[in-house]
Amino acid sequence: MAVVPQKTRQQRSMFAASDDSVMMKQIHATHAPDGRKLYAKPLLHIVEDIFLRAAAMSKFVQQQGAHQAQLKELDEKVLQNGFHEMIDTMSYNKINKISYEISSKCSEGGEEDHATTLAIFNLLSNYSWDAKVVLALAAFAVNYGEFSLVAQIYLTNPLAKAVALLKQLPEIIERAEDLKPQFEALTNLIRAMTDVAKCIVEFKELPSQYITPDTPEMLTATAHIPTAVYWIIRSIVACTSQIVGLVGMGHEYTASTTETWELSSLAHKVSNIHSHLTRQLALCYQHIDEKRNIETYLTLVRLLDSVHIDNMRILKALIYAKDDQLPLIHGSTKKGGGLDLLRTKTVLLLISDLELSHDELTQLKQIYSEAREQPGRAESQYEIVWLPVVDRSTPWDETKRKQFETLQPMMPWYSVHHPSLLDVAVIRYIKEMWHFNKKALIVVLDPQGKVVNPNAIHMVWIWRSLAFPFTSSREEALWNEETWKMKLLVDSIDQLTLSWINEGKLICLYGGEDIEWIRKFTEAAKAVAISAGIHIEMVYVGKSNPRENVRKINSTIFKEELSHVFSNLHLIWFFWVRLESMWHSKVQHKRAADNDSIMQEIMTMLSFDGSDQGWAVISKGSDEMAKARGDTILKSFAEFESWKQGAKEKGFLPALIDQLHLLHSPTHCNRLILPEATGSIPERIVCAECNRPMEKFIMYRCCTD
């Protein structure tokens, strides 16, 4: 081999001095693809395998565990791709021609790198850009692989030792420490070239059904790919010159800072190209994901609008099942399960974020457990599946993982194995079609997978499992059977109160957060009861969203024996949630205070809760209810002597109702405070007291008590 003189920085005509515009015109002039195909990806896997093994086993670069993992992965890819069947003889010949062209021109010396690069482009004129870069890298890998292989085995292989002596490799290896900067620069450049090549091949393999060449993101990328290919091949020439120089001069070779600088500068430039292409590739994938998500979403819309023989197609569309993982897991038993477990069953999809409230979960568990106590009943023939909706715009982190893993075991029903099993398109459907917005909802699928109720959570709160099969028509039928009475208001929230209702006792529910009013009211009520010769059972029901202040009041009432109280804040919470659910349920069925008597009573109760003062409702069995705000009910009790005779003649409750009507003032200011709702709030809500349209305000509240 001829001795190659080291080129000076000026002789090598570094790329910084070249005219990029003229240079790229020359490169484009060589580009004349004739449509021939090259399976670039499997060939690139072989090339990457050579580079990694050369770097991992070289004495110039320390072996790292990460290399071993990469090599194992590459081995699998090469075996899977059937490399030999995919690369034709013409491609092998082209690799050998390029390998010879690079070696000979770099060995001869005198020709600057751009001219050599241009000669390689002429050899590759009939190939696409991705094929050009992979074939050129393959040709370089042959030369580099031979050099590295001899260097690695010459101490143990006699043939390799003889070849190494002719190539003067022992002398080079003895001076490894002196040459370390150059070999590190060489390795860094090879890594950068490989990264860009992989990126270019990845662009070529993007699915054409989701992204076309005229897509803006793709146009920007393809405009930069020829430049990227040029600098990779230019870098191949520079790397080959370094290796040829080492072999040609042996112990006479002097480490040149200029040549090291050139390799490092090329690595920097190629790395910058890689960064730009990677960003562009990310934009392309974003475009593809958007197209795929739209396609999946529209498919979901069509599926849910179609008729099916069972619920399997719908459930499979909603819950993505991975090949290596069962899609469902039971919260209590931790056993995984397939979607077949839900076949032909009524399925309640519990949809929430990872902040499902403890109160909601506790109440739903109680209702579910009650249904399971008598599995033979029709009301028990349903399954609940939790679908946790997680915001994909923020990464899955430790906090989210802990929230999920805390909630999941608390549920005695099935949930998806992981929130990632809900596709982005499914989450979009849940939000747009089922109107999910943080507040938990229950979507009901019948055994054929048809949505029979877009949100049954309200009827579940009101009627529990009696609401089965949780359809809108069942909800309408249940309302037709109801009248406004104490049993509907209290239900089975508190067993003692329920027993009083069944015994036909006179019951007073009262609420508010003013302990002084509560003391006055309970004292006055007891005095009136004694005077009227009757007995009133009083129950404090607090306020919606009960917090520390309500807990303190509850405790005070219990200690001072002012009246009966619900045993914990959860029961107070559920009392008001049921009332709110009644309102939402009526709204879903287009009912309002001016056309539905129960709705009028519900709104009266909710307006009591929205006020700043106490209130009370008094009833007996199915009798009409007496109801009033705190000041009015206190005044009526204070004036009991004036209507005591009427109470003897008509009965206490009718007389109290008449007295409250007398004290009623047309002047009022009622507030109806509703929590953020799933679905829509009606634009027109009428006052329960005067039937005039109420004004709409937006309120933000922060309670820290």
Side-chain angles (χ1 to χ4, degrees):
M1 183 178 288
V3 174
V4 182
Q6 295 183 63
K7 299 176 182 179
T8 64
R9 182 172 177 178
Q10 289 77 19
Q11 287 172 327
R12 291 189 67 86
S13 181
M14 260 307 288
F15 53 84
S18 63
D19 185 335
D20 280 0
S21 177
V22 174
M23 174 189 73
M24 290 313 299
K25 282 182 181 178
Q26 291 176 328
I27 298 304
H28 278 287
T30 68
H31 188 55
D34 58 7
R36 67 183 67 187
K37 298 291 183 184
L38 174 75
Y39 293 99
K41 198 167 189 176
L43 181 54
L44 185 58
H45 286 156
I46 292 291
V47 170
E48 191 179 6
D49 186 61
I50 292 170
F51 291 154
L52 278 172
R53 291 184 189 281
M57 298 174 71
S58 172
K59 291 185 178 181
F60 306 113
V61 181
Q62 290 187 348
Q63 185 172 331
Q64 296 178 2
H67 277 120
Q68 299 306 310
Q70 287 176 290
L71 289 170
K72 185 178 179 182
E73 183 183 349
L74 280 168
D75 278 343
E76 291 172 357
K77 286 180 179 177
V78 171
L79 289 170
Q80 289 169 3
N81 285 326
F83 171 75
H84 293 291
E85 291 78 13
M86 302 181 79
I87 307 300
D88 58 20
T89 304
M90 189 180 293
S91 299
Y92 282 121
N93 291 337
K94 189 63 69 176
I95 291 168
N96 290 327
K97 282 183 181 180
I98 298 166
S99 178
Y100 174 77
E101 181 77 14
I102 298 172
S103 296
S104 61
K105 287 189 178 296
C106 291
S107 297
E108 292 167 4
E111 186 167 316
E112 62 105 13
D113 289 356
H114 174 66
T116 305
T117 304
L118 196 59
I120 297 169
F121 270 102
N122 282 318
L123 284 173
L124 295 166
S125 60
N126 298 130
Y127 289 91
S128 60
W129 294 109
D130 63 306
K132 290 182 202 291
V133 76
V134 173
L135 286 169
L137 276 174
F140 171 66
V142 171
N143 293 333
Y144 183 60
E146 288 176 354
F147 171 77
S148 299
L149 183 60
V150 173
Q152 290 163 13
I153 67 172
Y154 83 97
L155 289 175
T156 58
N157 187 297
L159 176 60
K161 184 176 182 180
V163 174
L165 287 170
L166 292 177
K167 288 181 175 287
Q168 304 181 70
L169 286 179
E171 289 91 340
I172 297 170
I173 293 171
E174 285 174 7
R175 300 173 55 235
E177 195 61 36
D178 294 337
L179 298 173
K180 186 177 179 182
Q182 280 178 280
F183 276 101
E184 287 181 346
L186 185 69
T187 303
N188 290 337
L189 180 53
I190 290 171
R191 188 184 302 116
M193 290 191 299
T194 308
D195 288 342
V196 174
K198 287 162 70 176
C199 210
I200 292 169
V201 170
E202 202 168 345
F203 273 112
K204 185 72 174 180
E205 295 190 338
L206 292 177
S208 58
Q209 68 267 39
Y210 298 116
I211 190 164
T212 56
D214 58 351
T215 305
E217 294 86 350
M218 200 66 173
L219 280 172
T220 304
T222 51
H224 288 88
I225 284 175
T227 304
V229 174
Y230 172 82
W231 285 111
I232 289 177
I233 297 178
R234 180 78 172 257
S235 298
I236 288 170
V237 173
C239 290
T240 306
S241 295
Q242 288 282 311
I243 296 168
V244 169
L246 277 169
V247 173
M249 299 188 72
H251 68 275
E252 296 176 7
Y253 185 85
T254 306
S256 167
T257 55
T258 300
E259 291 179 344
T260 304
W261 175 84
E262 180 185 355
L263 293 179
S264 298
S265 298
L266 279 166
H268 179 71
K269 186 173 187 71
V270 174
S271 294
N272 284 340
I273 291 171
H274 178 248
S275 296
H276 175 77
L277 289 179
T278 301
R279 287 194 296 271
Q280 208 57 39
L281 191 61
L283 291 174
C284 288
Y285 276 122
Q286 184 179 329
H287 177 88
I288 291 166
D289 286 343
E290 288 171 359
K291 290 287 185 182
R292 277 180 173 155
N293 290 339
I294 290 170
E295 182 181 76
T296 306
Y297 176 79
L298 293 175
T299 301
L300 200 58
V301 171
R302 286 193 296 271
L303 270 176
L304 282 155
D305 283 343
S306 304
V307 178
H308 306 279
I309 58 172
D310 62 23
N311 55 10
M312 284 295 96
R313 286 194 69 189
I314 297 299
L315 290 170
K316 287 176 181 177
L318 292 171
I319 303 171
Y320 171 70
K322 295 181 179 178
D323 293 336
D324 59 342
Q325 185 182 76
L326 291 169
L328 302 178
I329 185 169
H330 196 279
S332 299
T333 65
K334 298 289 185 288
K335 289 183 179 178
L339 295 175
D340 281 341
L341 292 166
L342 307 173
R343 190 187 294 271
T344 71
K345 293 185 178 181
T346 296
V347 179
L348 276 58
L349 301 176
L350 171 62
I351 300 171
S352 77
D353 56 19
L354 297 178
E355 296 179 357
L356 180 66
S357 77
H358 176 75
D359 284 318
E360 287 176 307
L361 183 54
T362 299
Q363 195 59 45
L364 197 55
K365 283 169 64 177
Q366 181 183 331
I367 294 169
Y368 184 77
S369 298
E370 288 172 0
R372 289 299 177 272
E373 287 173 2
Q374 295 179 303
R377 293 191 313 168
E379 293 87 352
S380 303
Q381 306 308 305
Y382 66 89
E383 290 290 345
I384 298 177
V385 178
W386 180 41
L387 304 184
V389 175
V390 177
D391 184 8
R392 297 290 180 84
S393 64
T394 56
W396 178 260
D397 54 20
E398 188 66 14
T399 301
K400 290 180 180 178
R401 184 188 67 79
K402 286 182 178 178
Q403 285 178 309
F404 177 68
E405 291 180 359
T406 299
L407 276 173
Q408 193 183 54
M410 297 171 67
M411 299 180 177
W413 48 75
Y414 287 104
S415 72
V416 294
H417 202 281
H418 191 273
S420 61
L421 296 183
L422 295 185
D423 191 83
V424 172
V426 173
I427 293 174
R428 177 189 170 191
Y429 188 93
I430 287 171
K431 290 181 176 180
E432 292 185 9
M433 303 300 286
W434 293 338
H435 309 295
F436 171 72
N437 184 19
K438 290 190 74 66
K439 294 285 286 184
L441 55 85
I442 293 176
V443 176
V444 183
L445 303 179
D446 71 6
Q448 288 72 47
K450 180 183 177 182
V451 176
V452 291
N453 196 328
N455 190 10
I457 197 165
H458 305 305
M459 64 186 305
V460 170
W461 290 156
I462 300 166
W463 294 290
R464 309 168 90 86
S465 293
L466 187 63
F468 181 86
F470 310 101
T471 61
S472 296
S473 58
R474 174 61 175 162
E475 189 171 21
E476 183 76 35
L478 286 168
W479 274 125
N480 290 337
E481 296 171 9
E482 293 288 2
T483 56
W484 186 251
K485 53 189 177 183
M486 192 64 75
K487 192 166 186 178
L488 173 63
L489 196 53
V490 177
D491 190 49
S492 58
I493 294 173
D494 180 70
Q495 291 301 315
L496 180 59
T497 308
L498 183 62
S499 67
W500 291 340
I501 294 170
N502 293 332
E503 292 167 12
K505 290 186 176 182
L506 191 64
I507 299 170
C508 169
L509 303 182
Y510 70 97
E513 292 185 289
D514 184 347
I515 189 61
E516 291 305 318
W517 176 86
I518 289 169
R519 288 186 175 112
K520 290 177 183 177
F521 169 72
T522 52
E523 183 182 351
K526 289 172 184 176
V528 166
I530 292 170
S531 180
I534 59 171
H535 185 75
I536 302 176
E537 300 289 359
M538 291 184 288
V539 185
Y540 175 67
V541 296
K543 199 171 179 66
S544 62
N545 296 309
R547 299 177 186 272
E548 182 61 20
N549 192 37
V550 172
R551 188 194 65 77
K552 289 179 180 177
I553 292 171
N554 217 42
S555 179
T556 300
I557 294 170
F558 178 77
K559 288 178 181 177
E560 297 181 10
E561 298 182 348
L562 302 179
S563 73
H564 177 61
V565 296
F566 286 169
S567 58
N568 56 62
L569 290 189
H570 171 75
L571 298 179
I572 294 176
W573 168 85
F574 190 51
F575 174 85
W576 290 105
V577 161
R578 282 187 75 254
L579 267 170
E580 290 166 0
S581 291
M582 291 178 198
W583 185 87
H584 287 298
S585 176
K586 286 288 187 180
V587 166
Q588 285 180 349
H589 289 273
K590 311 299 181 186
R591 299 292 192 271
D594 56 353
N595 63 21
D596 189 291
S597 60
I598 293 180
M599 183 62 152
Q600 186 176 25
E601 299 293 350
I602 293 167
M603 289 188 63
T604 298
M605 291 294 295
L606 292 176
S607 65
F608 283 167
D609 184 57
S611 69
D612 295 325
Q613 55 178 299
W615 55 270
V617 295
I618 303 174
S619 182
K620 181 180 180 181
S622 59
D623 292 347
E624 186 181 356
M625 285 187 188
K627 54 187 180 293
R629 298 186 188 280
D631 52 357
T632 305
I633 194 77
L634 270 181
K635 188 174 183 181
S636 68
F637 284 172
E639 297 173 353
F640 177 65
E641 289 301 322
S642 66
W643 54 277
K644 186 175 182 178
Q645 187 60 36
K648 290 179 180 179
E649 295 170 359
K650 294 182 289 186
F652 179 80
L653 194 58
L656 175 59
I657 292 170
D658 289 345
Q659 181 65 18
L660 291 174
H661 283 159
L662 287 174
L663 295 175
H664 178 263
S665 168
T667 304
H668 61 270
C669 182
N670 289 342
R671 285 183 294 177
L672 181 65
I673 300 175
L674 300 169
E676 184 183 6
T678 52
S680 57
I681 298 288
E683 282 299 316
R684 181 178 181 272
I685 296 178
V686 298
C687 175
E689 194 164 338
C690 65
N691 284 340
R692 289 188 300 178
M694 300 180 79
E695 291 182 277
K696 184 178 179 180
F697 295 89
I698 296 175
M699 183 183 77
Y700 296 91
R701 180 171 65 178
C702 176
C703 297
T704 57
D705 62 337

